[in-house]
Amino acid sequence: MRHTIAFSSLKGGVGKTTTALNSAYAFARRGLRTLLVDTDPQGAIGLSLDGVSERPGLAASVHDGELPEIVKTRLAELHLLPMGTVEAMDVDRFAQEARASEVVKRLVERAQDDYDLVLFDTPAGLGGMTRLVLETVDHVIAVVQCEPLALRSLPRLLELLAQLRETGSSCSLLGVASNMGSFRDPVILACLEELWQLYRDHVFETSIPRDSVFLEASRAGVPLGLLSRRPPPAAAVFDGLVAEIEGRLGVEQGGSDDGPIRLVD
Ligand SMILES: Nc1ncnc2c1ncn2[C@@H]1O[C@H](COP(=O)(O)OP(=O)(O)OP(=O)(O)O)[C@@H](O)[C@H]1O
Ligand SMILES: [Mg+2]
């Protein structure tokens, strides 16, 4: 396995799960063996995908100490590790138990040979599970909704990363993914411009648009790319995003040099 990436934000509801899920699908479509791990005790990936929420996952393995059962998908290159069920009363305790069981570290070690990428969807906030994941992975993608409050909370995540690095963690910011952007709404556009000004080198050029197809996809319980035989244009946005991510990771496609490819030999 070459890369471990967390999708994180201090603020909730900004699109971490949506971005992690659709990026995982796009990576797998590009042939990279990808494992998407849900570390949110609310089981966000299970809530987003039809047929996943009933499966045991990370929660069960925290309790019984065994490494969890991976869920295969329609794409051979995409595997999932859902959360399973964490009782509402146990949510606070769960992160402590997960830390004590070293489940995330053991999972990354086990994934070493089988995957090119392990992506972690983390819960909102910087405590508990998020911190545990950030201590273990190499990269974090900060997901920011194009709205003032989400923008203002980004420095806190960067501070945490700096502090973790001082204590020996290797996790660094791979980039900032902007979500729910719109060039038509002046307030949202102003936020995007501020984001570009403040974090120019980090912000991915691909901005995920606000689009009601995301709600349709979550209602259907599928990634955007599987919403219909002809996927909506927003699905293609993730091809652009993951191409940028691959560029920053230095992932080579098919072992060949980058550059034009002749159509006719
Ligand atoms: N670009 C978008 N356009 C429209 N709706 C979106 C977009 N991105 C996400 N959503 C919707 O916004 C809601 C929150 O998204 P999501 O669950 O991905 O956020 P989150 O950051 O993972 O939330 P949490 O902090 O609770 O884990 C969902 O209903 C999702 O379908
Ligand atoms: Mg989420």
Side-chain angles (χ1 to χ4, degrees):
M1 189 234 329
R2 288 180 285 179
H3 303 289
T4 45
I5 309 174
F7 290 76
S8 302
S9 70
L10 172 58
K11 195 167 181 307
V14 297
K16 293 176 290 300
T17 303
T18 304
T19 309
L21 171 62
N22 288 289
S23 299
Y25 180 80
F27 276 126
R29 284 286 304 260
R30 289 163 70 86
L32 292 171
R33 296 166 306 157
T34 305
L35 175 64
L36 174 61
V37 183
D38 188 358
T39 65
D40 185 345
Q42 73 173 311
I45 297 291
L47 293 177
S48 306
L49 290 177
D50 194 26
V52 173
S53 63
E54 312 79 30
R55 311 256 186 163
L58 208 65
S61 73
V62 166
H63 289 131
D64 63 25
E66 298 293 316
L67 273 175
E69 199 183 312
I70 302 289
V71 176
K72 294 185 177 161
T73 72
R74 169 180 289 275
L75 289 185
E77 289 81 9
L78 179 59
H79 289 175
L80 308 173
L81 178 54
M83 173 51 80
T85 308
V86 179
E87 297 300 330
M89 289 293 284
D90 295 337
V91 167
D92 281 347
R93 214 175 39 204
F94 180 72
Q96 293 162 17
E97 289 178 358
R99 178 175 288 278
S101 71
E102 298 198 318
V103 68
V104 181
K105 193 170 144 219
R106 287 188 295 130
L107 176 68
V108 168
E109 282 165 6
R110 192 179 84 172
Q112 200 75 25
D113 296 331
D114 297 338
Y115 298 99
D116 298 309
L117 296 170
V118 182
L119 309 184
F120 291 88
D121 179 30
T122 65
L126 303 179
M129 286 305 290
T130 304
R131 188 168 171 153
L132 182 58
V133 172
L134 294 183
E135 285 171 7
T136 314
V137 298
D138 295 324
H139 306 283
V140 59
I141 291 178
V143 181
V144 175
Q145 184 179 342
C146 299
E147 52 113 38
L149 294 186
L151 207 65
R152 284 176 206 148
S153 68
L154 182 54
R156 297 277 304 282
L157 173 59
L158 304 185
E159 275 164 33
L160 175 67
L161 288 179
Q163 284 164 7
L164 289 178
R165 271 201 304 280
E166 278 170 21
T167 58
S169 152
S170 61
C171 183
S172 63
L173 181 72
L174 188 61
V176 177
S178 59
N179 185 27
M180 303 196 214
S182 163
F183 295 110
R184 291 195 194 133
D185 182 317
V187 178
I188 294 179
L189 184 57
C191 282
L192 263 174
E193 284 171 349
E194 196 180 337
L195 191 64
W196 283 324
Q197 264 171 19
L198 291 174
Y199 304 100
R200 179 178 294 277
D201 295 338
H202 295 294
V203 182
F204 292 109
E205 283 184 27
T206 309
S207 182
I208 305 160
R210 180 184 286 275
D211 192 323
S212 59
V213 287
F214 284 93
L215 301 180
E216 272 179 57
S218 43
R219 189 170 59 184
V222 295
L224 278 189
L226 291 175
L227 189 56
S228 59
R229 294 208 175 273
R230 245 179 292 147
V237 167
F238 291 93
D239 296 328
L241 180 63
V242 302
E244 278 194 74
I245 297 172
E246 283 177 12
R248 291 190 191 186
L249 290 171
V251 172
E252 284 175 22
Q253 281 293 333
S256 60
D257 290 339
D258 199 11
I261 300 162
R262 286 185 66 172
L263 175 63
V264 178
D265 283 327

